[in-house]
Amino acid sequence: GGIIGCLAWEPGNAWFLTPVSVWIFFKLVHNATSATNAAGRGLIFGWFLFYGSLFWLNSLHKFHSLAPLGVVLLALYGGIYPSLTGFLAHKFSNSNSRVSNWIIFISIWLLTEWVRTLGRLAFPLVQLGHSWTHRPDLIQHASLLGELGITLQVLLVAWLFECCVSFLRGAVSYTHLTL
């Protein structure tokens, strides 16, 4: 999932893969055997997402030979937040309700992404909303909702993707999709 997600940023610009990546991560968390297992999956997902998105920083090796190691560690630090998301989402999930699991997952993702922008260790790079910045038609409301609003939009599209996949598999009938 993280490898797919990193293609949404430069130079790939495959913005449509961001919700797919989030959907894969949700499935990994939801199918984990324990909260600790979900946290480990989140760390791996996050490391691949951040390392792939920040790979361009490896060009700093011209200035210092340890720069690539710094990029690996920076990606590991970034991976802590999806790990926390996976742990908490699994801990608070309800195995009987897909909708409540998605609401919990989306809420925790938004919270951890917001926390990642605070304090001395703030790391506001590689946020989901940033992957859609080169598509002005998708981010027109960013002036009203901010970056977290665009991230919410990405997460809701991932949820819609889950609904479509479930509907096509026959796991959810049409009557369950209507209000």
Side-chain angles (χ1 to χ4, degrees):
I3 295 171
I4 292 171
C6 73
L7 296 174
W9 283 270
E10 297 290 340
N13 291 338
W15 59 270
F16 53 88
L17 291 178
T18 310
V20 175
S21 175
V22 171
W23 175 74
I24 291 171
F25 179 54
F26 173 81
K27 291 305 223 181
L28 288 171
V29 168
H30 186 67
N31 293 331
T33 56
S34 67
T36 307
N37 186 282
R41 292 175 181 201
L43 186 64
I44 293 169
F45 170 87
W47 186 84
F48 276 108
L49 177 69
F50 283 92
Y51 185 75
S53 303
L54 299 172
F55 186 76
W56 60 274
L57 288 173
N58 283 318
S59 64
L60 296 174
H61 77 281
K62 296 175 187 172
F63 302 105
H64 199 286
S65 60
L66 292 178
L69 176 62
V71 175
V72 168
L73 294 176
L74 184 61
L76 189 60
Y77 169 70
I80 290 171
Y81 294 94
S83 177
L84 182 61
T85 300
F87 180 82
L88 293 174
H90 192 277
K91 199 75 158 162
F92 295 116
S93 69
N94 177 359
S95 61
N96 298 329
S97 174
R98 261 190 213 137
V99 173
S100 68
N101 288 342
W102 268 101
I103 291 171
I104 290 167
F105 178 80
I106 288 171
S107 301
I108 293 172
W109 185 285
L110 288 171
L111 180 66
T112 57
E113 192 160 289
W114 173 70
V115 167
R116 189 163 45 99
T117 65
L118 302 175
R120 292 183 155 210
L121 293 176
F123 187 55
L125 296 173
V126 192
Q127 293 183 312
L128 293 183
H130 291 167
S131 67
W132 287 12
T133 55
H134 53 279
R135 287 297 309 260
D137 54 326
L138 296 175
I139 62 165
Q140 288 296 316
H141 56 281
S143 61
L144 300 173
L145 301 175
E147 189 277 331
L148 285 176
I150 304 301
T151 297
L152 176 61
Q153 179 179 338
V154 172
L155 292 167
L156 291 175
V157 169
W159 185 10
L160 180 64
F161 186 73
E162 163 75 11
C163 291
C164 292
V165 169
S166 296
F167 180 73
L168 292 174
R169 285 186 179 164
V172 177
S173 68
Y174 177 74
T175 57
H176 290 108
L177 294 177
T178 60
L179 299 174

